[in-house]
Amino acid sequence: METQNKTLIQFSDVTLGYGSHAVLSDISFELFENDFVGLVGPNGSGKTTLLRAILGHLKPQKGRIERRNNDTEIRFGYVPQREHLENIFPFTAFEVVLMGTYNRVGLFKRPGKSEHDLAKQCLEHVGILDLKDKLFNNLSGGQKQRTLIARALATQPNILVLDEPTNGMDLISQKSILDLITQLHTKDKLTILMVSHLLTEVSNYVRKIILVEADHFQVGSLEDILTTANLSKMYDMPVFVDRIKGNNVVIVGEKNG
Amino acid sequence: MAELIDIFEIEFMQHALYTGLLVGIMCSFLGVYIVLRRIVFVGASLAQISSTGFAIGIIFEMNPVVSAMALTMIGVVWFAFNLNSKKIPQDSTLALGYIIASASAILILSKHPKGDADLLGLLFGNILTITSDQIYILLAALIILGSIHLIFYKEFLFVSFDPEMSETLGFRPQIWNVLFYVTVGMLISLAIKSAGILLVFGLLVIPPIAAILITEKISRVFAWSVLIAVISIPSGLYLSFTQDIPSAPTIIALMTLWLGISFTFNKLRHAVA
């Protein structure tokens, strides 16, 4: 019999927004330990707003957000979109990863030997220890993403949150990064929350989906969400879910076709 | 060399040297953040706002340093909370501050008997008429601002590079940004009276750009930036004295020479690599 994992974060009738404007209304869902969740929706649908609330950067206008891990503190390993970084700073890959240790170093202090060792271990874990002295700005998209994942791992997280991790990458790099994320989930037992606007891509890796679309909010297992009937009803047009060579493919048909 | 030492034995030249070095060290260090965070116009706008504060001090016969600092701090708070507006682009907000402050300073001083001279003094400074008290104030500022930036070196760099991640780790980027702008505002309002807008802005921008072209390691960028300022200031003062030319533009010309050398070095390094 399958046992239910512990709840890490619970949203109860939460409304999120800025000022008096609500972006997402009355949403409820739970994130469990060892989940592998895709947060999917088009740009401007409220993904970032929801992500900010999950990370604790945005307080709800209404409802309750509870963090329920009683044993240990919830620690997020956050991988932001690469475009959001000030890429002109001349940091090496190692210096970027070292930033992940700053929360345990504390104010007034500089990272010591144990933090340096941890940063190197994280770089090795994502397979780019040989790039540690290279300038972050000079790395390829895939290498930068691995550096940022290593930095997130250096925070020693129990939830890894990745914002559009494959944006702007070629197919090979995309697969390589998604395989690495899957490995972190299966081997290292990390809870993963991956934000993306690409339903097809995400559906081939995650176990659960949070679908955010104008006026619609759905949370469920991949099997429940990713069906032709459900997606067609949600988008109010024919959306077909099929499998090609073992991979999910989502195809949008003509509305009056 | 003996002539150089002789010149800096003259009291007013000694004062100019100490002032130049203190202002130079602080501006070239903080300038690295200003250039890397792409907020160069913050330096220009705060310098102009500070000069308006001086003008208010002169007209109302108050201590101009106090009025300059007060107005600069208002500018700092305004920038800290309005630079990320979704409606008005960052550069437009900064340009707004610059234009309004410039016009205000000219208007305020236009009816003052020594208005033209005061305006020229604000633009070019008067590094050769510095008093010992002004030097002690700048030294105290260097100690305070230097300590803040050395103690919180990692925090300032982290929130500048990646505010989102820093917030996730419990840092408060908004608070660090306000502290950063406060230190920049304090520096500018103190430095401008002695060094002038032109030299202060030049020190905030030219040495950091030259340093970024010389080295690819962040800690060395700070070191090179300060070094370029520290070399250019005595050389510029010496040339200014011996050739009877204005000191601020001479120092800027020497720093520009450094910029040219750095640019060439950077091109050669990438051609060889």
Side-chain angles (χ1 to χ4, degrees), chain B residues 122-143:
Chain B
L122 286 174
L123 187 59
F124 296 112
N126 211 342
I127 204 165
L128 301 178
T129 58
I130 307 293
T131 62
S132 303
D133 287 349
Q134 284 175 291
I135 295 172
Y136 289 129
I137 290 171
L138 283 172
L139 182 63
L142 175 69
I143 292 167

Side-chain angles (χ1 to χ4, degrees), chain B residues 20 42 159 194:
Chain B
V42 167
V159 298
S194 43

Side-chain angles (χ1 to χ4, degrees), chain A residues 78 84 86 106 109-110 151, chain B residues 36 38 150 154 162 164:
Chain A
Y78 178 53
H84 290 183
E86 270 298 354
K109 292 179 191 157
R110 300 279 167 90
R151 185 180 66 166
Chain B
L36 290 177
R38 303 168 205 263
L150 288 178
K154 77 173 193 302
D162 190 353
E164 273 185 80

